[in-house]
Amino acid sequence: MDAGGNSLPSGADGVKRKVCYFYDPEVGNYYYGQGHPMKPHRIRMTHALLAHYGLLQHMQVFKPFPARDRDLCRFHADDYVNFLRTITPEAQQDHLRQLKRFNVGEDCPVFDGLYSFCQTYAGGSVGGAIKLNHGLCDIAINWAGGLHHAKKCEASGFCYVNDIVLAILELLKQHQRVLYVDIDIHHGDGVEEAFYTTDRVMTVSFHKFGDYFPGTGDIRDIGYSKGKYYSLNVPLDDGIDDESYHYLFKPIIGKVMEVFKPGAVILQCGADSLSGDRLGCFNLSIKGHAECVKFMRSFNVPLLLLGGGGYTIRNVARCWCYETGVALGMEVDDKMPQHEYYEYFGPDYTLHVAPSNMENKNSVQLLKDIRNKLLDNLSKLQHAPSVQFQEIPPDTEVPEADEDQDDGDERWDQDSDMEVDDGCKSIPSRVKSEAVELETKDPEVQKGAAEKARGFDNATDETASTKSVDASPMPIDEPTLKVEQETLNKASDQIYPKS
């Protein structure tokens, strides 16, 4: 049987794409707390739509392998990761100094399962990067990821672990240059900061600017040292519509692709830039938002699609469902199929919602000035900066279970057994959760791998006191060794069966 995932041709770039999709059925059970706008339940709503629209059967579906401490410490400080692992709602009153130090409390509350939640969404993004690195798919999707505000040593803006930075570090093992594009309404400050001084990662953020969280992302912020001109910021005002957004997005990204020539692209698809978002003030339609996905797809470069913000959860689910269809090259019907969260989408029960009639405060002259300024910045760049490859860090190999492997014929369908979970109980899942264990019988291999792993654990974090991740030249911090990885080549057919 075909391993699945081949998409249908679409548009001018009618080339089939193989798509990998990461989803953990437990992700919707995490709860930030009463009244908090961030609701992981939106990921489960998105998944239900994908199931009932029949999109899952066109992708390879993976349950992400949880990111381990050492994986998270490739970017985050050890003591911060340790804090996230050990803090609990019951114990937080005994750790007030640490809560303040790590900016955990109000916007970023302590909730049950916090660390598992971080491991899950980070594992999906890193897992997607690994699939792309191995050429196992053209597009990888993790709607639970995209938490772009988290810093090396602190939480920020509902984000605890920066899965995007971790995914970029993974992609840099195989690609000389990686492009990060952010269409969330908020500035992608955590990712920009991490790569502010390198020319191996270009960050491009389209965001609301001016008296708005996080307050960064001025057009004059362009990067520093070797990274000068490799950070692009597109500051926008309230009410921007599809036409105005694409007037900037397409020429800027088109020029970036021409000049920077990335080997891989990450697109953060924060849905709080949609019209009617609870925390947002833009006026994009779902099709307008998805046009950015379609445009990035047209370059046929390995692409990782991530979630992000989005606080009117019915519209988040609509958006990411439609954008999954775009990734696959499939048009989905506007009329929504009956499913367990159908009542969320009344009274129209359609996939698309009309933008509002709010005023677009982005004048034609303002847009023209922004476009000209950023295109001028791009003209100052060296075309496709070269990177001398030295020792390449070992691959991060994580055994995700592929539902195709074990039961290729059993897919999500219209008779899904997914239950309504008003009480936040676990849902039955047809996403297989078995992970392949890599073992070795050779004591010499075991000994060598263990020594390597111990050597890593004792290594100091040389970037702990710096503002940014130094991603040049090639070796990158590599806290991703696992004892089993010495036997990866022998076991690779187990993880990635030939179809």
Side-chain angles (χ1 to χ4, degrees):
M1 177 184 167
D2 190 324
N6 285 334
S7 72
L8 302 179
S10 76
D13 65 321
V15 180
K16 287 186 176 181
R17 304 288 198 277
K18 193 167 189 178
V19 180
C20 290
Y21 166 78
F22 287 80
Y23 175 72
D24 188 318
E26 293 297 314
V27 75
N29 290 333
Y30 296 106
Y31 183 57
Y32 274 62
Q34 187 172 5
H36 199 288
M38 177 62 99
K39 301 187 185 303
H41 177 61
R42 67 203 177 128
I43 311 300
R44 184 156 51 201
M45 291 173 61
T46 302
H47 186 78
L49 282 180
L50 297 179
H52 288 274
Y53 268 109
L55 295 178
L56 293 181
Q57 62 191 302
H58 296 280
M59 304 184 286
Q60 286 184 304
V61 179
F62 295 94
K63 179 178 179 182
F65 192 82
R68 300 156 298 180
D69 295 8
R70 64 184 64 179
D71 301 323
L72 302 180
C73 289
R74 295 197 60 226
F75 172 59
H76 293 286
D78 293 2
D79 54 353
Y80 175 55
V81 171
N82 184 59
F83 168 78
L84 291 176
R85 187 179 65 250
T86 56
I87 194 67
T88 64
E90 297 75 25
Q92 59 181 321
Q93 289 304 313
D94 300 327
H95 298 87
L96 296 178
R97 285 185 64 185
Q98 281 189 304
L99 289 167
K100 185 174 182 181
R101 175 185 171 196
F102 297 126
N103 195 36
V104 172
E106 293 185 13
D107 280 356
C108 302
V110 178
F111 56 85
D112 287 328
L114 169 60
Y115 191 62
S116 295
F117 175 63
C118 295
Q119 290 179 295
T120 296
Y121 76 74
S125 298
V126 173
I130 291 169
K131 295 291 185 190
L132 293 171
N133 276 352
H134 283 264
L136 295 167
C137 62
D138 305 305
I139 301 173
I141 300 173
N142 176 33
W143 294 129
L147 276 66
H148 56 174
H149 295 306
K151 308 297 196 301
K152 185 181 187 70
C153 302
E154 68 176 50
S156 176
F158 317 156
C159 308
Y160 302 86
V161 165
N162 200 314
D163 61 290
I164 305 166
V165 171
L166 298 172
I168 291 172
L169 290 174
E170 193 64 38
L171 290 170
L172 286 171
K173 293 177 180 179
Q174 294 294 329
H175 301 283
Q176 291 183 323
R177 292 172 299 280
V178 175
L179 171 64
Y180 172 66
V181 181
D182 190 318
I183 58 173
D184 192 290
I185 197 172
H186 300 97
H187 177 229
D189 57 336
V191 185
E192 177 185 282
E193 181 178 302
F195 299 105
Y196 205 64
T197 61
T198 180
D199 60 359
R200 291 193 58 205
V201 179
M202 177 173 276
T203 62
V204 187
S205 179
F206 297 77
H207 51 268
K208 158 75 175 169
F209 183 71
D211 193 25
Y212 199 73
F213 183 86
T216 51
D218 193 293
I219 197 169
R220 295 170 292 185
D221 296 334
I222 57 174
Y224 181 74
S225 185
K226 284 182 71 175
K228 189 174 183 181
Y229 299 120
Y230 289 91
S231 290
L232 287 184
N233 284 295
V234 188
L236 304 169
D237 208 341
D238 294 6
I240 192 162
D241 56 23
D242 295 349
E243 184 182 0
S244 299
Y245 203 88
H246 300 151
Y247 173 82
L248 295 175
F249 187 89
K250 291 185 175 182
I252 290 169
I253 295 301
K255 189 67 174 176
V256 165
M257 295 299 289
E258 175 194 330
V259 174
F260 188 58
K261 294 193 181 337
V265 176
I266 294 181
L267 178 61
Q268 195 266 23
C269 303
D272 46 6
S273 47
L274 291 174
S275 180
D277 187 78
R278 177 177 168 186
L279 299 186
C281 54
F282 283 0
N283 199 22
L284 298 183
S285 71
I286 288 171
K287 283 190 175 179
H289 195 272
E291 184 66 25
C292 299
V293 178
K294 188 174 183 180
F295 190 68
M296 294 305 327
R297 181 186 188 274
S298 71
F299 293 99
N300 205 19
V301 171
L303 176 62
L304 177 59
L305 298 179
L306 302 176
Y311 308 102
T312 300
I313 61 174
R314 61 185 181 275
N315 291 346
V316 176
R318 285 175 158 121
C319 181
W320 292 344
C321 172
Y322 185 76
E323 289 176 345
T324 303
V326 168
L328 286 164
M330 300 177 67
E331 187 65 39
V332 291
D333 291 340
D334 188 34
K335 182 174 169 52
M336 192 169 287
Q338 283 274 356
H339 66 289
E340 51 270 46
Y341 304 117
Y342 190 67
E343 69 276 6
Y344 280 76
F345 301 94
D348 297 326
Y349 305 102
T350 56
L351 198 62
H352 294 281
V353 289
S356 74
N357 59 357
M358 70 185 299
E359 178 191 358
N360 183 355
K361 295 186 178 178
N362 299 270
S363 67
V364 173
Q365 188 59 49
L366 173 68
L367 296 171
K368 193 174 292 185
D369 290 346
I370 291 172
R371 187 165 88 160
N372 291 343
K373 174 65 175 171
L374 293 174
L375 291 175
D376 181 59
N377 285 355
L378 285 167
S379 71
K380 298 171 183 173
L381 285 181
Q382 170 192 351
H383 268 62
S386 61
V387 177
Q388 180 182 357
F389 272 70
Q390 299 175 7
E391 180 186 354
I392 300 178
D395 290 339
T396 303
E397 291 293 349
V398 290
E400 311 93 355
D402 175 8
E403 73 165 6
D404 294 326
Q405 271 176 240
D406 300 318
D407 191 354
D409 294 322
E410 186 176 2
R411 293 279 191 175
W412 282 95
D413 57 25
Q414 299 299 332
D415 300 319
S416 166
D417 57 1
M418 203 175 197
E419 297 177 4
V420 180
D421 61 319
D422 292 333
C424 269
K425 58 186 177 183
S426 296
I427 56 170
S429 170
R430 296 187 196 174
V431 182
K432 299 296 186 290
S433 60
E434 299 85 1
V436 179
E437 289 299 327
L438 307 183
E439 296 182 355
T440 176
K441 304 299 183 186
D442 185 342
E444 289 300 313
V445 173
Q446 284 182 326
K447 180 182 175 187
E451 286 174 355
K452 273 193 178 183
R454 278 200 299 275
F456 170 85
D457 288 338
N458 294 331
T460 56
D461 182 356
E462 294 180 4
T463 62
S465 61
T466 63
K467 178 187 180 191
S468 61
V469 172
D470 181 9
S472 66
M474 213 20 178
I476 307 157
D477 283 348
E478 44 186 85
T480 51
L481 286 174
K482 192 176 181 183
V483 174
E484 302 97 309
Q485 291 183 2
E486 290 294 314
T487 60
L488 172 68
N489 291 337
K490 297 177 186 177
S492 61
D493 287 345
Q494 289 178 274
I495 303 177
Y496 306 120
K498 304 287 189 297
S499 57

